[in-house]
Amino acid sequence: MFYLKRIFVLTLLVLIPINIFAEIQYVYMKDGRILKGEVLHQSAFKIRFRSADGKEEEILKSAIRRITFKNPETKEPPKQEKIEKPDPVLEAKLKVEEEENLKKVKEAKVTEQKTKSILSDRHSFEILGGIGRSSYESQVANFHRNVEQYGSILGGNGGFFYNSPDRKDSDAKTINLRYTWKRVIAELGGSHLNSLESVNNFGTIVYPDLSGSTTVTQAAFTPGVPYHTISYKQINAQISYTAYSKSGLEIRPILGYYKVWQKGKDDSTYELSPKNPANTDAVDWTIKYGTSFSDYLSGPSVGAALEYKWKEKWETRWEFQKQFLHGNSIYTRDQIAYLVGSFFEERAALNNQWKVNSQSISGKLIYHWKDSVFFWTGFQYSKLTYKMEHFGGDLDLGGSPLGAYVTTELIQSLTQGLAGNSVAKAIYIGAGYSLDLSKKETQ
C-alpha cells in the first residue's frame, strides 16, 4: 500500500507542467507596453521571449526599459522615512539668516520707495560761492609770442625772442545758482581765475644812424620784468536730468552752453639797447615794451554729473564735460623808443580765428551744517585745445607789399603747428545756502 502511494505522487509530478515552477517575468517596453512571460535566452543586443499565451518572439534590448519579476499591479508598502531629531542651534541660525534676508529685502524696497518719493517731491533753489587759488597758462599769449619770433626771423629787420614764461598762482572766485525740480536740475555759474606771468625777451633793433647814411643794428634786452596778471573767465548755463538714482547715488546727463574770455596786459616792461662805443653815430635806446591779448570763445557742451550722498550731512558732486567752442583772439605789441626827449612808436597786431575742443572736470565735497546752510571745498580743471581756422594781422615786416604778403602767408603755414593748449586750474573753499521750496508748497 505504501508503495502504491509513492507511485501515485511521482506520477502527478510527471504530469504537472514544468513551467509552473518558472518565475513569471515582466518586460517594460519604452513604448509603454508591459509584456508578461518568460525570457528564454538573451544575447548582447536582443532577448528571446515567450509570452504567457505561449507565443515566442525576439525583442531588441534598445526597445526595453527594464525587466522585473514584480507584478506592476502589486503596490509596495510605503517606505518609512527616518525622522531626524532637529538641531536647535542649526534651526536658530537658519531662522536668524532668514530674518536678516527678509530685513534686507524690506529695507531695499523702503529705500527704493523713499528715493522715488524724494525725486518726485524735491523742489529747491541753491546758491553757492567760493574763493581760492588758481593757475592759468594762456595758449593765446604763447602762440603770438612764437609768431612774433617767426616774424623777427623772416622780416630781417630786427626783432625779439622770448624765454619761457615764469608764472605764479593768484586768486580765484566762483559762484553758482542751482534750481532743482523733481528729476530736472538747471544751473547757471561762472568762474574767474587769475595767474601772474613774467616773460623776459632779448633781440636786436635796427635804426638809421645819426648821419642818415647807414643803419645800425644793436642788441636789446630786458633788465628785469615785473609780473603782470593774465585772467580766465567763464560763464556756463546747463540743464541735466536724473537718469539713475539708487542708495544716495545719482547720475545725470548734461547739456549746456559755455562762454570763455581770456585776457592779459603787460605795459610795464622796459628794454635797454646800449650803443656800440666804437660807433660814434650810434645812440643809446630805452624802449618801453607793451603787449596785450584777448580771446573770446563760445559753444555748446555735453557731459555727465555724478552725485553721492551719505550719512545725511555729506555729499560729493562730480561733473565731466566736453565743450565745442569757436572764437577769435587779438594780440597787439607796442614798442615806444625814447631818444633825447622824442620817441618813436611801432605796433604789430594779429587777429586769429580758432576752433577749440575743451575738456573740463570739477568736484565738490559738501558738508550740510544745517537744513539750509552748507560748506564746501572743491576744484576746477579746464584744458582748451586750439586749432587755427584763419590767420590775420598787421605784421610790420618791411619790404614791398607783395613781399609782406608772401612773408605773412609763410608765417601762417609755419605757425599752424604752434597752436597749443590753454590750461586753467583752481581750488576753492566756500559756503552756500539752500532753500527748500517743497516745504513752502505743503504749508
Side-chain angles (χ1 to χ4, degrees):
M1 187 67 179
F2 174 75
Y3 292 105
L4 291 173
K5 289 181 178 180
R6 291 181 64 182
I7 293 170
F8 179 73
V9 172
L10 290 171
T11 304
L12 287 175
L13 290 173
V14 172
L15 295 175
I16 294 174
I18 296 176
N19 62 355
I20 67 171
F21 295 99
E23 191 170 3
I24 301 300
Q25 295 168 310
Y26 297 89
V27 179
Y28 291 78
M29 305 297 292
K30 289 184 178 180
D31 59 4
R33 294 179 299 147
I34 302 176
L35 306 179
K36 180 180 178 182
E38 178 185 1
V39 178
L40 301 177
H41 61 81
Q42 62 178 330
S43 66
F45 304 102
K46 60 185 177 179
I47 64 172
R48 184 74 180 177
F49 182 77
R50 181 167 59 198
S51 63
D53 56 4
K55 181 181 178 182
E56 294 184 7
E57 61 178 317
E58 289 183 346
I59 304 175
L60 295 174
K61 285 186 175 182
S62 60
I64 299 173
R65 188 179 300 277
R66 69 178 185 274
I67 300 174
T68 67
F69 295 95
K70 175 183 173 182
N71 189 340
E73 297 178 357
T74 304
K75 294 184 179 180
E76 291 185 355
K79 293 182 180 181
Q80 294 184 354
E81 296 183 357
K82 183 179 179 181
I83 302 176
E84 296 182 359
K85 187 177 180 180
D87 185 353
V89 176
L90 181 60
E91 283 191 346
K93 184 179 179 181
L94 292 174
K95 186 176 180 181
V96 171
E97 290 179 355
E98 184 178 0
E99 289 177 353
E100 289 180 352
N101 291 333
L102 291 174
K103 185 179 179 181
K104 289 180 180 178
V105 172
K106 186 177 180 180
E107 288 178 350
K109 290 182 178 179
V110 171
T111 302
E112 184 178 358
Q113 292 175 355
K114 186 178 179 180
T115 301
K116 290 181 179 179
S117 176
I118 292 174
L119 291 176
S120 60
D121 295 339
R122 67 181 183 179
H123 188 195
S124 64
F125 177 78
E126 172 188 295
I127 180 172
L128 67 81
I131 57 175
R133 301 293 291 176
S134 62
S135 173
Y136 166 55
E137 177 181 353
S138 171
Q139 185 278 153
V140 178
N142 292 339
F143 174 83
H144 291 95
R145 280 192 286 261
N146 289 330
V147 170
E148 186 179 342
Q149 291 180 148
Y150 272 104
S152 298
I153 295 171
L154 298 173
N157 195 28
F160 292 86
F161 300 89
Y162 299 88
N163 295 324
S164 297
D166 184 22
R167 297 185 178 89
K168 290 183 179 181
D169 295 347
S170 189
D171 59 289
K173 51 193 174 184
T174 185
I175 188 171
N176 191 74
L177 307 178
R178 173 173 166 138
Y179 175 75
T180 303
W181 182 69
K182 296 184 178 181
R183 291 179 175 266
V184 178
I185 296 179
E187 295 180 79
L188 177 64
S191 300
H192 185 181
L193 286 64
N194 292 312
S195 185
L196 299 177
E197 185 177 80
S198 174
V199 185
N200 286 293
N201 60 38
F202 61 93
T204 60
I205 62 172
V206 180
Y207 64 94
D209 63 7
L210 296 177
S211 66
S213 60
T214 185
T215 59
V216 177
T217 300
Q218 62 190 40
F221 63 91
T222 53
V225 181
Y227 284 91
H228 61 278
T229 300
I230 59 175
S231 66
Y232 172 94
K233 298 179 182 179
Q234 74 172 40
I235 294 178
N236 63 292
Q238 63 189 43
I239 187 169
S240 58
Y241 179 82
T242 303
Y244 176 84
S245 179
K246 185 176 182 181
S247 303
L249 176 64
E250 187 173 329
I251 300 176
R252 306 189 310 271
I254 299 174
L255 291 176
Y257 193 84
Y258 271 71
K259 288 189 175 184
V260 176
W261 294 267
Q262 303 173 74
K263 67 177 183 178
K265 185 176 183 179
D266 175 18
D267 56 2
S268 58
T269 299
Y270 284 87
E271 294 165 346
L272 300 180
S273 180
K275 69 178 181 178
N276 184 355
N279 188 349
T280 57
D281 291 328
V283 295
D284 294 319
W285 290 91
T286 300
I287 304 171
K288 184 178 181 181
Y289 179 84
T291 62
S292 66
F293 74 88
S294 62
D295 185 40
Y296 170 72
L297 305 169
S298 63
S301 67
V302 295
L306 186 150
E307 297 183 4
Y308 181 67
K309 299 178 181 179
W310 76 97
K311 294 185 178 180
E312 296 184 357
K313 289 185 174 294
W314 291 96
E315 179 182 358
T316 56
R317 297 178 183 175
W318 296 85
E319 286 189 5
F320 309 87
Q321 294 201 58
K322 184 175 180 63
Q323 296 86 24
F324 306 92
L325 309 175
H326 287 82
N328 68 292
S329 65
I330 299 174
Y331 177 87
T332 60
R333 182 205 65 189
D334 290 304
Q335 289 177 304
I336 303 176
Y338 295 90
L339 174 65
V340 193
S342 62
F343 67 90
F344 304 91
E345 182 177 4
E346 181 180 281
R347 163 170 286 199
L350 296 175
N351 187 337
N352 299 327
Q353 294 180 355
W354 303 99
K355 177 181 179 182
V356 179
N357 288 326
S358 172
Q359 299 84 35
S360 64
I361 177 174
S362 64
K364 295 182 179 70
L365 175 63
I366 299 174
Y367 175 72
H368 294 273
W369 181 47
K370 292 184 177 180
D371 289 342
S372 300
V373 180
F374 61 88
F375 300 97
W376 69 279
T377 183
F379 74 94
Q380 172 187 344
Y381 175 85
S382 297
K383 181 179 180 181
L384 294 78
T385 302
Y386 283 70
K387 182 179 179 181
M388 183 186 293
E389 289 189 323
H390 177 71
F391 177 92
D394 178 21
L395 289 173
D396 184 8
L397 302 175
S400 66
L402 178 60
Y405 173 78
V406 172
T407 304
T408 302
E409 292 298 312
L410 180 59
I411 291 177
Q412 178 173 349
S413 64
L414 291 174
T415 56
Q416 286 289 336
L418 297 178
N421 303 318
S422 287
V423 178
K425 299 177 284 187
I427 56 174
Y428 300 103
I429 185 170
Y433 182 83
S434 179
L435 179 62
D436 190 350
L437 301 177
S438 62
K439 292 183 179 179
K440 294 184 176 292
E441 293 174 354
T442 57
Q443 290 176 354

